[in-house]
Amino acid sequence: MDNNQQVSNPQMVRKFYFLDYIFILLQSCKIYEERDLVFLYFKILKDKERLGESKYRKLTTDQSELSEKQVKRYIYTFEQVIFEAVNYNLIKDNKKNLILTDLGNECLLFGEKDKRLFYEKLLVLMENHFFAFFDLINLCYSQNKTKNGLLIFPIYSPRKLGFEKDDMKKNRDWYLFSKKLQKKLESDISNFLEQDINLNEANESLLNTLYDDKLIDKDLNGFYNKSNYNSIISRFRKYWLNYFLNKIYNYKHSFETFNIWVERGKQLGIIHSTEFYPNFDGRLVYPTSLIINNTNNRDLVNVFTYKNNLKLYIHKLEWTQNNQDNFVDALVDCYFALKRDRGTHFIRISDLRERVCYKKRIPSFVFNEFLEKIYLRNLKGETKVQISLEADRLPYETNAMYLKREPVSVNGQFKNIIAIDYRK
């Protein structure tokens, strides 16, 4: 589609996900101009905000004593963020000093009042510069019209398909795994995308690369080198993820580029992405926004207008009584579905969030905002249900599971599990 707009290649974007990096760079530039001092303050703010860290993880080491590798990683991120902030005219870089521009100061002031306002300003700058969300949203809707733009990226380990690691001894085991995986992927494509695709040729191509790279051998009765186990799994995963993106969805850029824009879009409320949707093995990606001419729907907020007058709308619910009731209904329906499945009264809030976000097609931050407000109404006895929130972890949760999932903050406290019941 011709948008009559100057467009940069989305692959030129710098390789960082967290948009708060730009915010803390602007905060640092407001206090200091000398590059080294800006970096030191940037590092302090990064650690304070725990960007890239679990909100649950307690920092037990002295953050002032970083290894050489950690320092290089911090500097790399710092330079990447500077490059992009300069492109958006938020700062000027004269090598020795980093100077906040009028636009940068304006965006910073918005962010200090409300971080969502900063994100909306940043969205406009990014879309003007890269035009990436337009392509991404249209890609979703064009590839799966029947399920409102849902894209699936199935990920199955051998164990998920009944192949235990200790039993994987011969080349034949990997061949059998590949065929079972092929059939499972074909089934997922049929169920979620409503397409009938034979993956036999693609699977043979993958096996041939494994043969060529001597990770497994064509002699099916021969034993493979067990030290290659993780490498083989990684190759299966990367191959099929790229196959879905490039061959099934016809995305023209790299998986890395796709991930960057999806994760940024998730923070902005444009796209939702999760690897933790209950009872699905893999990743779901779907839009929580629309590109249309106009709408009278007050729950759709215009955040960008293209030169051909199409508009980008994010699905942000107004705090109306009707939306409150509908949110509680979705919360209850999804909670009891998970409760029946899990056979337990307490459910992970993050699992419930995934279900509700998918059902309502809302960004995760809208879920968080509504859950907090509904919970406070619940404490006053103003809801038809009783909601209990706890910070505890569930018995089956490992440390890795506990640390990886993003918690929900309610009244300034992180909560992990939820229980819902109807009021007597």
Side-chain angles (χ1 to χ4, degrees), residues 355-385:
R355 284 267 190 151
V356 174
C357 284
Y358 182 76
K359 183 182 182 73
K360 301 284 292 178
R361 287 302 198 272
I362 55 173
S364 55
F365 70 82
V366 172
F367 172 92
N368 294 349
E369 290 172 3
F370 262 61
L371 179 63
E372 182 172 40
K373 290 178 178 179
I374 291 294
Y375 180 67
L376 295 178
R377 283 196 59 201
N378 150 80
L379 294 178
K380 298 176 182 178
E382 297 174 354
T383 56
K384 64 182 181 182
V385 294

Side-chain angles (χ1 to χ4, degrees), residues 29 41 76 141 165 198 245 253 265 270 273 295:
C29 290
Y41 198 68
Y76 174 80
Y141 285 117
K165 181 177 180 179
N198 187 312
L245 185 67
H253 303 299
I270 292 171
S273 169
T295 180

Side-chain angles (χ1 to χ4, degrees), residues 220-253:
L220 298 184
N221 290 319
F223 291 87
Y224 86 101
N225 185 343
K226 284 195 171 184
S227 66
N228 291 330
Y229 182 85
N230 290 334
S231 296
I232 296 171
I233 289 179
S234 178
R235 292 287 287 275
F236 270 97
R237 175 173 177 159
K238 289 178 181 177
Y239 177 85
W240 286 116
L241 288 176
N242 279 288
Y243 185 89
F244 269 73
L245 185 67
N246 301 134
K247 301 298 183 182
I248 295 179
Y249 303 138
N250 299 311
Y251 186 71
K252 58 187 177 181
H253 303 299

Side-chain angles (χ1 to χ4, degrees), residues 48-278:
K48 180 182 177 182
E49 298 297 327
R50 299 192 191 179
L51 295 178
E53 301 290 337
S54 167
K55 300 295 190 301
Y56 286 128
R57 184 179 290 121
K58 294 181 180 179
L59 302 180
T60 57
T61 58
D62 184 354
Q63 293 298 299
S64 64
E65 297 180 5
L66 297 174
S67 68
E68 183 179 348
K69 184 177 180 180
Q70 287 174 313
V71 171
K72 287 182 178 179
R73 189 168 68 243
Y74 273 63
I75 292 174
Y76 174 80
T77 300
F78 181 63
E79 295 296 336
Q80 295 278 298
V81 178
I82 288 172
F83 182 91
E84 203 158 328
V86 169
N87 276 349
Y88 301 148
N89 192 33
L90 297 173
I91 63 171
K92 292 187 181 299
D93 179 9
N94 66 8
K95 302 307 178 186
K96 289 185 178 181
N97 294 323
L98 299 170
I99 302 166
L100 197 64
T101 65
D102 289 342
L103 177 60
N105 189 59
E106 177 187 337
C107 290
L108 180 59
L109 290 174
F110 275 106
E112 289 171 342
K113 294 176 183 175
D114 184 341
K115 188 66 70 66
R116 300 300 330 166
L117 294 177
F118 173 76
Y119 285 160
E120 289 176 9
K121 291 287 184 181
L122 201 54
L123 188 160
V124 172
L125 296 173
M126 285 194 294
E127 192 66 342
N128 271 326
H129 200 79
F130 292 105
F131 196 52
F133 295 125
F134 183 91
D135 288 338
L136 190 57
I137 294 165
N138 281 308
L139 173 80
C140 290
Y141 285 117
S142 66
Q143 293 300 320
N144 197 346
K145 296 182 176 66
T146 59
K147 289 187 171 62
N148 295 319
L150 173 67
L151 303 184
I152 62 166
F153 296 93
I155 300 170
Y156 297 101
S157 65
R159 189 174 188 181
K160 279 288 184 180
L161 299 183
F163 294 83
E164 294 294 335
K165 181 177 180 179
D166 290 342
D167 296 331
M168 301 285 284
K169 298 176 180 178
K170 294 186 176 183
N171 298 312
R172 181 186 305 278
D173 296 319
W174 285 109
Y175 176 80
L176 293 175
F177 166 69
S178 78
K179 298 304 290 185
K180 192 166 185 179
L181 176 59
Q182 175 190 330
K183 294 301 180 185
K184 183 61 176 171
L185 295 177
E186 289 173 348
S187 175
D188 285 344
I189 292 170
S190 176
N191 292 335
F192 290 95
L193 306 179
E194 298 185 1
Q195 299 180 42
D196 293 321
I197 298 179
N198 187 312
L199 298 176
N200 189 62
E201 185 177 339
N203 188 54
E204 290 298 322
S205 177
L206 169 58
L207 288 172
N208 284 332
T209 63
L210 296 177
Y211 297 146
D212 292 343
D213 294 339
K214 303 188 184 309
L215 291 173
I216 58 175
D217 194 83
K218 290 184 179 181
D219 176 12
L220 298 184
N221 290 319
F223 291 87
Y224 86 101
N225 185 343
K226 284 195 171 184
S227 66
N228 291 330
Y229 182 85
N230 290 334
S231 296
I232 296 171
I233 289 179
S234 178
R235 292 287 287 275
F236 270 97
R237 175 173 177 159
K238 289 178 181 177
Y239 177 85
W240 286 116
L241 288 176
N242 279 288
Y243 185 89
F244 269 73
L245 185 67
N246 301 134
K247 301 298 183 182
I248 295 179
Y249 303 138
N250 299 311
Y251 186 71
K252 58 187 177 181
H253 303 299
S254 69
F255 210 98
E256 184 176 48
T257 299
F258 177 79
N259 280 336
I260 289 170
W261 286 112
V262 166
E263 292 305 318
R264 289 181 173 201
K266 182 176 180 178
Q267 294 168 73
L268 297 169
I270 292 171
I271 291 278
H272 190 75
S273 169
T274 178
E275 291 186 1
F276 301 103
Y277 191 83

